[in-house]
mmCIF file of all heavy atoms in Angstrom:
data_model
loop_
_atom_site.group_PDB
_atom_site.id
_atom_site.type_symbol
_atom_site.label_atom_id
_atom_site.label_comp_id
_atom_site.label_asym_id
_atom_site.label_seq_id
_atom_site.Cartn_x
_atom_site.Cartn_y
_atom_site.Cartn_z
ATOM 1 N N PHE A 261 -17.221 -10.887 -10.717
ATOM 2 C CA PHE A 261 -17.599 -12.276 -10.994
ATOM 3 C C PHE A 261 -16.481 -13.033 -11.733
ATOM 4 O O PHE A 261 -16.211 -14.193 -11.440
ATOM 5 C CB PHE A 261 -18.900 -12.313 -11.810
ATOM 6 C CG PHE A 261 -19.335 -13.705 -12.152
ATOM 7 C CD1 PHE A 261 -19.770 -14.575 -11.156
ATOM 8 C CD2 PHE A 261 -19.286 -14.174 -13.461
ATOM 9 C CE1 PHE A 261 -20.153 -15.871 -11.457
ATOM 10 C CE2 PHE A 261 -19.670 -15.472 -13.776
ATOM 11 C CZ PHE A 261 -20.106 -16.316 -12.771
ATOM 12 N N GLU A 262 -15.821 -12.371 -12.681
ATOM 13 C CA GLU A 262 -14.777 -13.048 -13.466
ATOM 14 C C GLU A 262 -13.668 -13.592 -12.556
ATOM 15 O O GLU A 262 -12.995 -14.547 -12.903
ATOM 16 C CB GLU A 262 -14.096 -12.109 -14.493
ATOM 17 C CG GLU A 262 -15.011 -11.345 -15.420
ATOM 18 C CD GLU A 262 -15.554 -10.113 -14.739
ATOM 19 O OE1 GLU A 262 -14.782 -9.169 -14.523
ATOM 20 O OE2 GLU A 262 -16.764 -10.101 -14.418
ATOM 21 N N ILE A 263 -13.488 -12.963 -11.415
ATOM 22 C CA ILE A 263 -12.450 -13.432 -10.495
ATOM 23 C C ILE A 263 -12.995 -14.511 -9.569
ATOM 24 O O ILE A 263 -12.400 -15.583 -9.440
ATOM 25 C CB ILE A 263 -11.868 -12.237 -9.706
ATOM 26 C CG1 ILE A 263 -11.068 -11.380 -10.685
ATOM 27 C CG2 ILE A 263 -10.992 -12.719 -8.539
ATOM 28 C CD1 ILE A 263 -10.249 -10.308 -10.109
ATOM 29 N N ILE A 264 -14.164 -14.273 -8.969
ATOM 30 C CA ILE A 264 -14.643 -15.261 -7.977
ATOM 31 C C ILE A 264 -15.091 -16.580 -8.618
ATOM 32 O O ILE A 264 -15.049 -17.616 -7.969
ATOM 33 C CB ILE A 264 -15.752 -14.720 -7.044
ATOM 34 C CG1 ILE A 264 -16.888 -14.110 -7.821
ATOM 35 C CG2 ILE A 264 -15.206 -13.784 -6.013
ATOM 36 C CD1 ILE A 264 -18.073 -13.793 -6.935
ATOM 37 N N LYS A 265 -15.464 -16.530 -9.892
ATOM 38 C CA LYS A 265 -15.937 -17.779 -10.521
ATOM 39 C C LYS A 265 -14.830 -18.842 -10.561
ATOM 40 O O LYS A 265 -15.107 -20.029 -10.643
ATOM 41 C CB LYS A 265 -16.516 -17.512 -11.915
ATOM 42 C CG LYS A 265 -15.516 -17.221 -12.977
ATOM 43 C CD LYS A 265 -16.189 -17.025 -14.326
ATOM 44 C CE LYS A 265 -15.132 -16.737 -15.383
ATOM 45 N NZ LYS A 265 -15.617 -16.208 -16.614
ATOM 46 N N LYS A 266 -13.577 -18.395 -10.479
ATOM 47 C CA LYS A 266 -12.451 -19.348 -10.552
ATOM 48 C C LYS A 266 -12.026 -19.829 -9.164
ATOM 49 O O LYS A 266 -11.110 -20.620 -9.037
ATOM 50 C CB LYS A 266 -11.255 -18.681 -11.227
ATOM 51 C CG LYS A 266 -11.512 -18.276 -12.664
ATOM 52 C CD LYS A 266 -10.291 -17.550 -13.221
ATOM 53 C CE LYS A 266 -10.644 -16.798 -14.490
ATOM 54 N NZ LYS A 266 -9.901 -15.566 -14.643
ATOM 55 N N LEU A 267 -12.674 -19.332 -8.110
ATOM 56 C CA LEU A 267 -12.206 -19.639 -6.750
ATOM 57 C C LEU A 267 -13.167 -20.587 -6.041
ATOM 58 O O LEU A 267 -14.387 -20.503 -6.241
ATOM 59 C CB LEU A 267 -12.089 -18.337 -5.944
ATOM 60 C CG LEU A 267 -11.148 -17.294 -6.555
ATOM 61 C CD1 LEU A 267 -11.241 -15.981 -5.796
ATOM 62 C CD2 LEU A 267 -9.718 -17.804 -6.551
ATOM 63 N N PRO A 268 -12.631 -21.483 -5.187
ATOM 64 C CA PRO A 268 -13.514 -22.417 -4.475
ATOM 65 C C PRO A 268 -14.563 -21.667 -3.646
ATOM 66 O O PRO A 268 -14.232 -20.651 -3.022
ATOM 67 C CB PRO A 268 -12.556 -23.180 -3.547
ATOM 68 C CG PRO A 268 -11.185 -22.882 -4.008
ATOM 69 C CD PRO A 268 -11.223 -21.619 -4.800
ATOM 70 N N VAL A 269 -15.792 -22.183 -3.651
ATOM 71 C CA VAL A 269 -16.884 -21.490 -2.953
ATOM 72 C C VAL A 269 -16.675 -21.455 -1.435
ATOM 73 O O VAL A 269 -17.283 -20.657 -0.734
ATOM 74 C CB VAL A 269 -18.266 -22.111 -3.259
ATOM 75 C CG1 VAL A 269 -18.707 -21.769 -4.667
ATOM 76 C CG2 VAL A 269 -18.255 -23.612 -3.046
ATOM 77 N N SER A 270 -15.819 -22.357 -0.930
ATOM 78 C CA SER A 270 -15.613 -22.414 0.523
ATOM 79 C C SER A 270 -14.865 -21.195 1.068
ATOM 80 O O SER A 270 -14.839 -20.982 2.267
ATOM 81 C CB SER A 270 -14.853 -23.695 0.886
ATOM 82 O OG SER A 270 -13.667 -23.748 0.138
ATOM 83 N N TYR A 271 -14.254 -20.415 0.189
ATOM 84 C CA TYR A 271 -13.536 -19.225 0.651
ATOM 85 C C TYR A 271 -14.485 -18.023 0.671
ATOM 86 O O TYR A 271 -14.718 -17.397 -0.347
ATOM 87 C CB TYR A 271 -12.352 -18.909 -0.271
ATOM 88 C CG TYR A 271 -11.137 -19.770 -0.031
ATOM 89 C CD1 TYR A 271 -11.067 -21.067 -0.532
ATOM 90 C CD2 TYR A 271 -10.050 -19.280 0.683
ATOM 91 C CE1 TYR A 271 -9.952 -21.862 -0.318
ATOM 92 C CE2 TYR A 271 -8.921 -20.062 0.896
ATOM 93 C CZ TYR A 271 -8.882 -21.350 0.399
ATOM 94 O OH TYR A 271 -7.775 -22.129 0.608
#
Side-chain angles (χ1 to χ4, degrees):
F261 179 68
E262 308 82 71
I263 291 190
I264 52 170
K265 74 178 180 195
K266 297 177 196 146
L267 302 172
V269 287
S270 55
Y271 281 79

